[in-house]
Amino acid sequence: GGAAGSKMAESDYESVLCVKPEIHVYRIPPRATNRGYRAADWKLDQPDWTGRLRITAKGNIAYIKLEDRISGELFAQSPVDQFPGIAVESVVDSSRYFVIRIEDGNGRRAFIGIGFVDRGDAFDFNVGLQDHFKWVKQQSELAKQAQNPDSGPKLDLGFKEGQTIKLSIGNVRKKENSSTKPRLPGTGIGLLPPPPGAKMPLLLPPPGSQGMMQQPTQTSSTEILGDFDAPKPSPALASHTTATDVWGDFATATSSSTNQVAQSTNWVQF
């Protein structure tokens, strides 16, 4: 409904593209060959009518109007739906003369010759029509994009959204891991490097401490570091604490015992 309404409003509006105060009109003989019209075949010194030319646009159609210079009364009109096209054709031997197809609104059509006194006026006539149909082409392309919502702009928005969420979070996590792991060997704990060798000796012999057995299977490298440096908290608390929990507890400081683990870990790392 909205598109149809805007189209009707657009077609009701008539804009002026070009006005030239003097135009000569000629009755022309039928086209002799397919090579085009020649102004030299017309009686150029005896125009059949002289008046004003005005080009208007209503929707996608341009109208070449030949009007009386004083009263503005319409003498003839040529609707143009494309340019260049059959409705407007340049002659082969001059840049100042054209052949246009006029219509009377009742289905009758005729071809007449028009000529400008000045080459600049003929140039403006050409440019006015060209600019209008460039605009028509742009409107057509915009309408096609509106009918295809899966076109380029929407894909660009999706790409930017994914890039912001996935890449930024991924980078933060990578930084945490990379900042934690390289510092672990520096603590002097021989059980950690390399990881495969570290876990096997702890699991095979039956150690006296149950906490030592459970930690390598469930905890991260950050938690192991915290338990060795601060053995005061109970093993059960450390075995269920992940790296993310340690950082979260340090920020909120909800528990004094957990805060002690987080502060100890933080002291070693920084």
Side-chain angles (χ1 to χ4, degrees):
S6 62
K7 191 172 184 180
M8 286 181 61
E10 179 188 32
S11 63
D12 290 340
Y13 176 73
E14 187 170 10
S15 59
V16 178
L17 304 179
C18 177
V19 178
K20 292 301 170 184
E22 187 173 7
I23 187 76
H24 298 309
V25 175
Y26 303 90
R27 289 190 189 133
I28 59 175
R31 188 198 297 255
T33 66
N34 291 330
R35 289 181 297 176
Y37 293 99
R38 292 173 54 87
D41 297 336
W42 310 345
K43 298 177 181 178
L44 296 180
D45 57 341
Q46 300 176 24
D48 294 289
W49 184 86
T50 298
R52 176 180 71 186
L53 177 139
R54 199 159 59 99
I55 307 176
T56 65
K58 198 173 184 181
N60 292 344
I61 307 297
Y63 296 89
I64 301 172
K65 299 186 177 188
L66 308 176
E67 302 168 339
D68 185 275
R69 279 187 288 191
I70 298 175
S71 67
E73 183 181 357
L74 185 66
F75 170 76
Q77 176 173 275
S78 172
V80 184
D81 58 356
Q82 62 179 2
F83 180 78
I86 193 172
V88 183
E89 186 176 342
S90 301
V91 299
V92 297
D93 59 344
S94 174
S95 63
R96 294 191 290 120
Y97 296 90
F98 302 85
V99 175
I100 65 173
R101 183 182 64 187
I102 59 174
E103 300 182 14
D104 65 355
N106 296 320
R108 291 184 296 179
R109 295 175 173 177
F111 289 91
I112 61 172
I114 61 172
F116 296 94
V117 176
D118 184 78
R119 293 184 191 279
D121 290 344
F123 177 81
D124 294 343
F125 172 82
N126 260 319
V127 170
L129 289 172
Q130 287 173 359
D131 286 350
H132 170 72
F133 287 101
K134 281 181 187 176
W135 175 84
V136 170
K137 185 178 180 181
Q138 291 173 352
Q139 295 301 307
S140 175
E141 290 173 354
L142 289 173
K144 288 179 183 177
Q145 291 179 4
Q147 291 174 356
N148 295 323
D150 297 332
S151 58
K154 188 170 184 179
L155 289 177
D156 289 341
L157 290 174
F159 176 75
K160 291 175 183 176
E161 182 180 353
Q163 189 180 41
T164 301
I165 294 175
K166 294 178 182 177
L167 293 183
S168 62
I169 293 180
N171 288 339
V172 170
R173 287 179 178 170
K174 286 179 183 177
K175 285 180 180 179
E176 287 182 5
N177 293 336
S178 62
S179 64
T180 303
K181 290 178 181 176
R183 290 186 171 91
L184 291 178
T187 62
I189 302 172
L191 297 176
L192 293 176
K199 293 181 180 179
M200 292 303 292
L202 289 175
L203 292 174
L204 290 178
S209 170
Q210 290 296 325
M212 289 291 292
M213 241 173 94
Q214 294 174 358
Q215 284 170 3
T217 60
Q218 296 181 3
T219 58
S220 66
S221 58
T222 308
E223 295 157 16
I224 293 173
L225 177 63
D227 291 336
F228 273 98
D229 291 342
K232 294 180 182 179
S234 66
L237 176 63
S239 63
H240 295 290
T241 306
T242 63
T244 308
D245 295 332
V246 172
W247 286 104
D249 291 338
F250 177 71
T252 57
T254 56
S255 168
S256 61
S257 62
T258 310
N259 192 24
Q260 188 175 3
V261 178
Q263 286 178 341
S264 166
T265 306
N266 190 49
W267 174 262
V268 173
Q269 288 184 346
F270 291 94

